[in-house]
Amino acid sequence: PQDDAATAGRVAGERGVQYRQLLDSTQRSVDALGLTGFPTTLVVRPDGSIVASLRRTVTAPELRSLLMRTLAA
């Protein structure tokens, strides 16, 4: 089952998440991206291209490292 926006926001806040979270209540993005497992972390450029896709739980240090590598490229 999918979390509602309030629950997802509460859990993110409890875990210290400070980056933007998107909730796909219609499943359109999930279907379009072919996502089959959760959690999934996507790094998306402003032009909409996906530069990284991690289909597992990501720690803050891992995410920071991934973003630094992505920004450096």
Side-chain angles (χ1 to χ4, degrees):
Q2 185 172 1
D3 291 332
D4 59 52
T7 301
R10 180 183 52 75
V11 171
E14 289 171 357
R15 295 185 179 175
V17 173
Q18 297 179 1
Y19 51 86
R20 187 171 179 190
Q21 304 285 300
L22 303 176
L23 182 64
D24 182 11
S25 61
T26 64
Q27 295 289 111
R28 285 188 210 160
S29 297
V30 169
D31 294 341
L33 295 168
L35 302 179
T36 58
F38 297 94
T40 300
T41 298
L42 301 174
V43 178
V44 183
R45 291 189 191 274
D47 68 5
S49 62
I50 297 171
V51 295
S53 175
L54 301 171
R55 296 174 190 229
R56 61 180 175 79
T57 300
V58 180
T59 65
E62 289 175 313
L63 182 57
R64 192 173 299 111
S65 176
L66 172 64
L67 292 173
M68 293 304 289
R69 289 192 316 270
T70 301
L71 291 170

